[in-house]
Amino acid sequence: MTKEMLSKRLALTLPSSEHRLDIDWPAATNLDIVVKRDDLIHPFISGNKWRKLQHQLQHFFTTPPARVISFGGGFSNHLHALAYCCHQLAIPFTAIVRGNYQLNPSPMLRDLRQWHTDIQYVDKHLYQQRAEPGYLAKLHQRYQDSVIIPEGGSQTSALAGFQELLAELQQNYDYILAPVASGGTLAGIIAALAPHHHTQVLGIAALKGEGYLENLVAALLPETHKKSASNWHIIHDFHFGGYAKSTAELRAFCQTFTAQHGVAIEPVYSGKVFFALRALLAAGYFTNNSKILVLHTGGLQGARNAVS
């Protein structure tokens, strides 16, 4: 099945639009700020989830697996998107979820139940083994002929989807901003650019992980970029205490931004990126007349839950 056929089957809106952002924040007047609206690709398979999964999903049609297995937390945008795709494509799906939500399932987990997902709740210790060969071998033994997709969908095969994202752009940009959690989105953008491309790629950390996140991204990069790419950087000042952590200030910012600009954001990923953008503008981070692209990676599950 071609990408076009798959896109039609899943009712995707592609390519996503580039939306100029008119804001009155400090130092924004001499800059061209644009949002890549990947959040509008699909209500459930939006943003970087489609970019990461599209080539894997195409492969499923030529070599359909007996089952797909992946990992995430109780509010995982990745599990939500993948579960919906598997349901639509009639592929059995097992979600290995960190924590036990049986008595208090999140809205995301209720959707997974509706899509007939096999949900396996595991404790923190077992979840930490999600990338270990021995644990993965046991899963393959338990679920014969299964395909295991890493947490967040971040794997080498996911990078190609971001080449297509950059090919959709209507102009060149001096900066590209995107959130960072499992590393795949940032690695995909970097890999789609030449190692010394003039565009600076800025990752906004969505969790505590200085050094850790850089290693995740570097591990996914092609060899041509591992040592020579100097056009990317992760900023760690806006994680608000960690993954899925926020403050009243951040939540209020998300609500105000959504109301003023008609662009829905949430406090787990996209809210932190736009909050960081405002702070970086105020600090004079960007040179005058720069063109800035903010990648809205979708993933609005955080907006459906009270995030603390």
Side-chain angles (χ1 to χ4, degrees), residues 16-282:
S16 63
S17 62
E18 289 167 64
H19 172 79
R20 181 161 279 99
L21 193 63
D22 294 320
I23 50 178
D24 57 0
W25 296 343
T29 53
N30 296 321
L31 300 168
D32 188 11
I33 303 173
V34 174
V35 183
K36 176 68 166 166
R37 295 296 307 273
D38 268 14
D39 58 309
L40 299 180
I41 290 175
H42 189 275
F44 303 138
I45 325 166
S46 66
N48 60 353
K49 304 314 170 191
W50 164 248
R51 303 292 182 183
K52 291 179 181 181
L53 293 172
Q54 64 181 87
H55 290 278
Q56 184 83 71
L57 293 172
Q58 285 176 249
H59 180 69
F60 287 165
F61 279 89
T62 56
T63 311
R67 178 173 296 274
V68 173
I69 304 169
S70 197
F71 311 87
F75 308 100
S76 169
N77 293 289
H78 163 69
L79 289 182
H80 194 250
L82 186 54
Y84 178 81
C85 289
C86 288
H87 178 62
Q88 292 298 309
L89 303 175
I91 300 172
F93 178 53
T94 292
I96 298 178
V97 176
R98 179 184 64 251
N100 192 337
Y101 294 83
Q102 286 182 313
L103 298 180
N104 188 28
S106 65
M108 184 276 289
L109 288 168
R110 290 198 291 269
D111 286 345
L112 264 61
R113 287 179 179 175
Q114 182 178 342
W115 298 331
H116 307 295
T117 299
D118 168 37
I119 302 174
Q120 300 289 327
Y121 295 109
V122 299
D123 60 25
K124 180 179 179 181
H125 174 72
L126 187 58
Y127 192 82
Q128 288 175 337
Q129 302 178 45
R130 63 194 178 278
E132 295 182 6
Y135 176 63
L136 297 178
K138 290 180 181 178
L139 285 177
H140 277 301
Q141 185 176 16
R142 179 180 178 184
Y143 300 101
Q144 297 291 320
D145 301 318
S146 62
V147 169
I148 299 177
I149 297 178
E151 179 185 53
S154 293
Q155 54 188 339
T156 303
S157 65
L159 303 189
F162 295 94
Q163 293 177 345
E164 297 180 16
L165 183 152
L166 263 63
E168 293 174 9
L169 298 181
Q170 299 175 13
Q171 62 176 326
N172 294 321
Y173 292 92
D174 300 297
Y175 300 90
I176 298 177
L177 275 68
V180 188
S182 60
T185 297
L186 205 67
I189 296 170
I190 297 163
L193 298 168
H196 298 290
H197 198 277
H198 81 278
T199 300
Q200 292 295 307
V201 183
L202 300 180
I204 307 302
L207 50 86
K208 286 183 179 180
E210 190 164 0
Y212 167 74
L213 290 177
E214 282 81 358
N215 289 338
L216 284 181
V217 173
L220 291 167
L221 290 175
E223 290 300 324
T224 53
H225 289 66
K226 283 186 186 294
K227 294 183 179 180
S228 58
S230 57
N231 58 339
W232 66 281
H233 176 64
I234 299 177
I235 298 174
H236 294 272
D237 300 328
F238 304 98
H239 54 66
F240 288 87
Y243 180 70
K245 299 293 184 181
S246 71
T247 63
E249 181 185 18
L250 176 60
R251 294 191 291 274
F253 171 82
C254 291
Q255 293 171 357
T256 300
F257 185 93
T258 299
Q260 289 181 346
H261 301 288
V263 178
I265 62 174
E266 42 66 49
V268 180
Y269 297 105
S270 55
K272 293 179 180 180
V273 173
F274 284 100
F275 192 99
L277 173 64
R278 185 178 67 172
L280 293 172
L281 287 170

